[in-house]
Amino acid sequence: DGGITQSPKYLFRKEGQNVTLSCEQNLNHDAMYWYRQDPGQGLRLIYYSQIVNDFQKGDIAEGYSVSREKKESFPLTVTSAQKNPTAFYLCASSPGGRYGYTFGSGTRLTVV
Amino acid sequence: GIQVEQSPPDLILQEGANSTLRCNFSDSVNNLQWFHQNPWGQLINLFYIPSGTKQNGRLSATTVATERYSLLYISSSQTTDSGVYFCAGEETSGSRLTFGEGTQLTVNP
């Protein structure tokens, strides 16, 4: 089945540590996105990429980095510069045009 | 910036009741989508509805783009309909999807 796989489902980060969240899709979608969700709130855009080797900052990019070396993969690194990283992170993809977005099942990141 | 506003923020229903959720959006928003987030966090795309009306089982959605609003109808609600419903729209200048704050729906047996 085609879809988006995010891993791990749960991740614990120590203070000062960088961690990388994985997002892989086999839908052949051109565009991929990372969103952050805090409890009881909507989703906020961190980074997005419309083609391989290109990406743009979203509304809350500070403290995060991404890469898009392959069409299928869009990993997100939460750096030590992100002071409040505890949240639910969702990856999505879209073929563009008149089609909706598909989301992965998310990664819950907790700072310990 | 673009605006996507949802109402009501919370809704509690008895099983079998009908409900209407509303989404208002600003001029720079198009390509409206509705999502359901289940209690485990999974977001499911319900409708891609830039304009007009679509139906899928007990759910239907209508977008009146000229008046900048969209409605999601849930009929004969079931406990499995519980969760958060989000509407989201794309900026006309690009492919960024902006979400509203959501409507938390609880359906009691």
Side-chain angles (χ1 to χ4, degrees):
Chain A
D1 284 337
I4 298 180
T5 301
Q6 288 188 241
S7 61
K9 287 193 179 301
Y10 299 93
L11 186 57
F12 297 90
R13 191 194 95 165
K14 295 181 180 179
E15 295 283 350
Q17 202 176 41
N18 293 352
V19 291
T20 298
L21 284 59
S22 171
C23 178
E24 303 277 335
Q25 55 103 354
N26 61 2
L27 299 166
N28 200 33
H29 287 175
D30 287 317
M32 297 186 74
Y33 309 82
W34 274 105
Y35 286 87
R36 168 179 171 143
Q37 186 178 29
D38 293 288
Q41 299 187 23
L43 281 68
R44 293 183 290 167
L45 183 63
I46 304 172
Y47 269 99
Y48 63 106
S49 167
Q50 294 180 273
I51 56 172
V52 175
N53 292 321
D54 188 42
F55 48 83
Q56 288 78 40
K57 293 181 178 180
D59 299 318
I60 55 167
E62 185 174 351
Y64 300 98
S65 65
V66 294
S67 63
R68 186 85 187 277
E69 297 176 0
K70 299 185 300 182
K71 188 175 185 177
E72 303 79 18
S73 179
F74 191 40
L76 173 74
T77 296
V78 184
T79 75
S80 57
Q82 172 50 244
K83 296 307 178 188
N84 185 23
T86 294
F88 187 48
Y89 292 86
L90 286 155
C91 178
S93 71
S94 168
R98 298 179 63 83
Y99 295 95
Y101 284 39
T102 301
F103 278 82
S105 57
T107 294
R108 294 192 185 276
L109 174 62
T110 304
V111 173
V112 295
Chain B
I2 64 175
Q3 303 282 338
V4 179
E5 298 176 348
Q6 294 185 242
S7 61
D10 297 281
L11 187 58
I12 300 174
L13 302 174
Q14 286 300 121
E15 201 166 24
N18 302 329
S19 63
T20 301
L21 282 59
R22 186 177 178 101
C23 176
N24 293 331
F25 52 93
S26 58
D27 286 345
S28 55
V29 173
N30 59 17
N31 295 343
L32 226 289
Q33 302 182 39
W34 283 96
F35 296 86
H36 175 227
Q37 187 171 39
N38 66 24
W40 297 272
Q42 177 73 55
L43 269 167
I44 302 298
N45 195 307
L46 298 175
F47 295 103
Y48 177 88
I49 186 162
S51 63
T53 297
K54 290 185 178 179
Q55 182 154 7
N56 184 1
R58 296 181 295 102
L59 273 60
S60 64
T62 295
T63 296
V64 183
T66 54
E67 297 186 24
R68 319 307 296 173
Y69 73 89
S70 183
L71 302 174
L72 178 68
Y73 305 96
I74 305 174
S75 64
S76 303
S77 57
Q78 300 175 358
T79 56
T80 52
D81 294 331
S82 297
V84 184
Y85 290 81
F86 290 103
C87 71
E90 286 184 335
E91 295 181 355
T92 52
S93 58
S95 64
R96 294 165 49 120
L97 195 64
T98 296
F99 283 76
E101 291 295 307
T103 292
Q104 173 76 59
L105 175 66
T106 302
V107 181
N108 292 320

